[in-house]
Amino acid sequence: MTAPELPESEAVEAAAQPAAEQDPVAPAAAADGDPEVVLDLQGLTKRFGDTVAVDAIDLQVRAGSFTGIVGPNGAGKTTTLSMVTGLLRPDGGRVLVHGIDVWAEPDRAKRAIGVLPDALRLFDRLSGAQLLHYSGVLRGLDAATVRQRTADLVAAFGLEDATGRLVADYSAGMTKKIALAAAMIHSPRLLVLDEPFESVDPVSAANIVEILQRYVAAGGTVVLSSHGMDLIQRVCDHVAVIVGGRVLAAGTTDEVRGGETLEERFVALAGGRRAAAGMEWLHSFTE
Amino acid sequence: MTPLLVRLKLRLLANQFRRSPWQVVGLVLAIVYGGGITAMLVAMLVALRFAALPLATSVVVGGGSLAVLAFLIVPVFVGVDDTLDPRRFALFGVERTRLAIALAVAGVVGVPGLALVLVAFATVATWSRNPGAALVALVCVPVIVLTCVLLSRIGAAGAGLLLSTRRSREALAAVFVVAVSLLAPLFVLLTNLDLGRRALTGIGAVVAVLGWTPLGAAWAAPATIAAGSPAGVAQLVVALATLVVLALVWRALVGTALVSTGRQARPQTVAGIGWFGRLPATPRGAIAARATSYWARDVRYRVSAISIPVTPIVLVLVLGLAGVPGDRLALLPVPVIALFLGWATHNDIAYDHTAIWLHVAAGVRGVDDRLGRLAPVLVVGLPLLVIGSFVSAALAGSLLLAAPLIGVSCGLVLAGAGLGGVSSALMPYPVPRPGSSPFQHPNSTGGLAAVVQSVLFLLQLLVAAPAVVLGLLALSGGAGYAWASLAAGLVLGGLVFWWGTVAGGRVFERRGPELLAAALRA
């Protein structure tokens, strides 16, 4: 189980994808042998009242990459990912998926994206099997395809015992897994996953990582946010650090961490550790 | 502890004004309404100072007992704000007696508590005709206030402990619907019986009994003293004993709540994929299957599904008792069911809460969303209404009347569905969340809900008005009117439905992210 480093085969994949050629705006990076840019954020901005949640973010994600987005709480990760997936209308800037503007041509763009949002409900009065079927059919799959993929996904995520139960009765980790399965069922080119490993047990997490790595090896692209620095360092080939609504660092994981661990680098970028002085009262205990 | 919780409650109340304009408008309306009612009650109680003693006694004790009962019942069914649910304080390690006292006192803070204090004080004015009675009334003010607050806290916490599982809430919802529907005809029956000369003596007898029960004792004590009977002191003792018992129950409930986690429900299982396998595997078919499953499975829909047919039955019972002839009554239920059935669709998207993201992320076509959601209502509802129209017409003694009945009821359902198709995408307002009690309305509902509900109701009636008018003309004979009513209902309803589906679909596609944002705020 190794991180895929297959630039050449990816370049072949990218060349076979026509979308980038059709749209003159898409940065045609294929010239220097890099794979196509699958996700391109240009000056993406979102304000809530006086607060600027996302401040003119530029970010490019290439086909076949496994990109981790990290940032402290409230940095704008979820806001950014929501704008990428067409769930939150930006105040400025553009999102291009395979050269298609998500906010100008949402129908075409959304077909290429699989979404796992954080902290949004599922239709949880459906059973697991019903939810997968619903997600697949809404994405335009036919009944036979949905049935076969549901069986595969249920086996891959280890949900065999839970397909008949209502999602409302699932544990947090199982809910995450069924939502992740639902995000993949239409085999999108781009998977945007917000906190996919939150409350998932280590065995299931390893399992999910393996599924995602095989997907990436086949030319798919994953963008995920997480607070697990070790996991991101181990799994992701690219990292973007978002703090205060801006991208402070982006590039391959090795470039960003520059010899340190990702966690050390991240803490430094995010404003450093706060000195734990002035907390001496915590060391004398209440009776 | 007590001042701390009172400050917390005040802060929570003040923060209500820091919400969106619509919610503030709703809150102000609620306060004006509550304030107006309180002012009326206070004025009435002061005016009763100069009324005859039996009348004053009947009003104060009867109304007061009802108010006490309401303080117990309303929290159980409506689920008042649970900010002061004792379970939320379980982790702070506060001694339970102190916590119980603090929670009870903080419970007075709020619009109902304040109104109650004012009204209770006004009774001192009512009994100021007699110094002894006024003194007892003054003593009774805190007794009344604390009794009511403790009852509401016990009602809310008790419901929270016993009804925390989905099943028990669903059972409660069914009981509530049936109870309400039985109460209405009973009420009519009682008022009819009492409307004669016996009314006053009847009420007097009831009040005399109420005065010795925990519900009315605190209200009755000053009245009895004013009548010159020392039995008022005994009633005061009953009231105080009630308060002590309630305090002990409350303390015990707080103690239990602090160490319990609520009951766990047994998980429900579904074999296969249910409706999804029976309906076409297209977005429209899948949305229809999902909507059908939810009507059958989600208690919030189930309450609608029960109350829509029950409401007209109650209406017919009430009117029948009031003496409306049967052959006319037979024509009533079907259009009323149609009215509510069509109207029930007007806020459908809000029931999904944030799960609507899936439709937005998948780029579902608006028309598919609109028609899919309406499928259970129309596919089940329309044939039943047609059958019901024939039954009603047969009962009314003229099969020809089935034509206007079908026209009116189809017109109402189609108009409601069409108008709802636009409004649910344009102006969703918050509803009970998935999994919560159907009566637990979000406190952010505000004024928008009332405006949307009433405007749509009127528009729906307006679209069906021609069919209704022609139908009424058909009652006095004339086959032409009957067929014209059928045509008017089907054509106008059909046009509004078609327009609503197309326009609502476009609005849905355009406003997808805004619908999700509205759900996140709800």
Side-chain angles (χ1 to χ4, degrees), chain B residues 81-448:
Chain B
D81 76 305
D82 51 351
T83 42
L84 294 181
D85 184 349
R87 259 189 289 172
R88 297 194 175 193
F89 297 88
L91 296 180
F92 292 112
V94 184
E95 202 271 315
R96 71 171 175 169
T97 309
R98 281 179 64 209
L99 182 62
I101 293 171
L103 287 175
V105 173
V108 181
V109 180
V111 177
L114 188 65
L116 181 67
V117 169
L118 292 175
V119 170
F121 260 113
T123 60
V124 178
T126 310
W127 305 120
S128 61
R129 60 183 87 203
N130 174 321
L135 187 68
V136 174
L138 197 60
V139 173
C140 283
V141 170
V143 177
I144 290 169
V145 171
L146 285 176
T147 303
C148 288
V149 169
L150 280 177
L151 276 175
S152 77
R153 305 303 303 145
I154 289 170
L161 274 179
L162 297 175
L163 305 172
S164 51
T165 69
R166 204 171 63 222
R167 289 285 169 75
S168 51
R169 276 196 301 264
E170 288 170 11
L172 180 72
V175 169
F176 183 67
V177 170
V178 173
V180 166
S181 36
L182 288 180
L183 264 179
L186 200 68
F187 187 71
V188 172
L189 203 66
L190 286 178
T191 47
N192 269 350
L193 287 181
D194 279 356
L195 266 179
R197 266 167 295 151
R198 284 174 298 169
L200 205 65
T201 48
I203 291 175
V206 172
V207 163
V209 175
L210 276 178
W212 289 98
T213 64
L215 291 179
W219 300 95
T224 314
I225 296 281
S229 160
V233 177
Q235 286 176 328
L236 186 60
V237 171
V238 171
L240 287 171
T242 306
L243 189 56
V244 170
V245 170
L246 287 178
L248 290 176
V249 169
W250 172 234
R251 183 168 167 273
L253 257 180
V254 170
T256 317
L258 287 180
V259 294
S260 74
T261 53
R263 294 192 295 165
Q264 292 291 315
R266 250 180 311 129
Q268 207 176 333
T269 57
V270 183
I273 52 172
W275 284 101
F276 290 91
R278 271 165 253 162
L279 294 173
T282 60
R284 194 177 297 180
I287 291 169
R290 208 267 302 165
T292 311
S293 307
Y294 266 53
W295 273 96
R297 214 177 275 161
D298 189 320
V299 61
R300 297 167 306 154
Y301 287 91
R302 226 191 274 171
V303 166
S304 300
I306 296 173
S307 50
I308 287 173
V310 165
T311 310
I313 293 172
V314 173
L315 190 67
V316 166
L317 277 176
V318 170
L319 291 177
L321 287 170
V324 177
D327 55 338
R328 288 284 177 271
L329 271 183
L331 299 174
L332 204 57
V334 173
V336 173
I337 291 179
L339 178 65
F340 285 110
L341 192 62
W343 187 73
T345 62
H346 76 271
N347 198 24
D348 199 350
I349 291 180
Y351 282 93
D352 296 351
H353 204 246
T354 54
I356 188 67
W357 75 264
L358 182 60
H359 289 213
V360 179
V364 171
R365 284 176 59 223
V367 176
D368 289 340
D369 181 89
R370 313 284 71 201
L371 288 179
R373 281 172 198 279
L374 291 174
V377 171
L378 297 184
V379 173
V380 177
L382 286 181
L384 282 180
L385 286 175
V386 171
I387 295 170
S389 299
F390 279 106
V391 173
S392 284
L395 286 175
S398 160
L399 265 186
L400 182 66
L401 288 180
L405 274 178
I406 293 173
V408 169
S409 47
C410 289
L412 282 169
V413 169
L414 291 172
L419 294 166
V422 177
S423 84
S424 66
L426 202 57
M427 286 172 291
Y429 59 84
V431 295
R433 294 171 179 216
S436 70
S437 155
F439 304 108
Q440 187 144 33
H441 276 272
N443 48 13
S444 57
T445 305
L448 181 61

Side-chain angles (χ1 to χ4, degrees), chain A residues 156 207 209-220:
Chain A
N207 203 0
V209 166
E210 193 184 341
I211 295 169
L212 293 177
Q213 283 177 329
R214 274 189 281 151
Y215 165 79
V216 168

Side-chain angles (χ1 to χ4, degrees), chain A residues 35-51:
Chain A
E36 178 214 8
V37 173
V38 170
L39 176 62
D40 190 5
L41 313 190
Q42 302 174 350
L44 200 59
T45 304
K46 182 70 192 180
R47 285 176 221 97
F48 295 110
D50 297 334
T51 325

Side-chain angles (χ1 to χ4, degrees), chain A residues 86-87 89 103 110 115 117 120-126 129-130 133-135 137-139 143 164-166 169, chain B residues 166 267-270 273 276 281-282 286-287 290 294 297 352-355 357 359-362 434-435 510 513-514:
Chain A
L87 295 180
R89 202 181 293 281
W103 289 96
K110 282 171 180 174
V115 188
L120 296 185
R121 284 173 190 273
L122 299 171
F123 284 104
D124 58 9
R125 296 299 145 127
L126 301 180
Q130 285 178 325
H133 179 92
Y134 192 49
S135 307
V137 173
L138 283 191
R139 294 293 195 162
R165 263 195 281 156
L166 299 196
D169 296 330
Chain B
R166 204 171 63 222
Q268 207 176 333
T269 57
V270 183
I273 52 172
F276 290 91
T282 60
I287 291 169
R290 208 267 302 165
Y294 266 53
R297 214 177 275 161
D352 296 351
H353 204 246
T354 54
W357 75 264
H359 289 213
V360 179
R510 193 162 35 95
E514 281 71 29

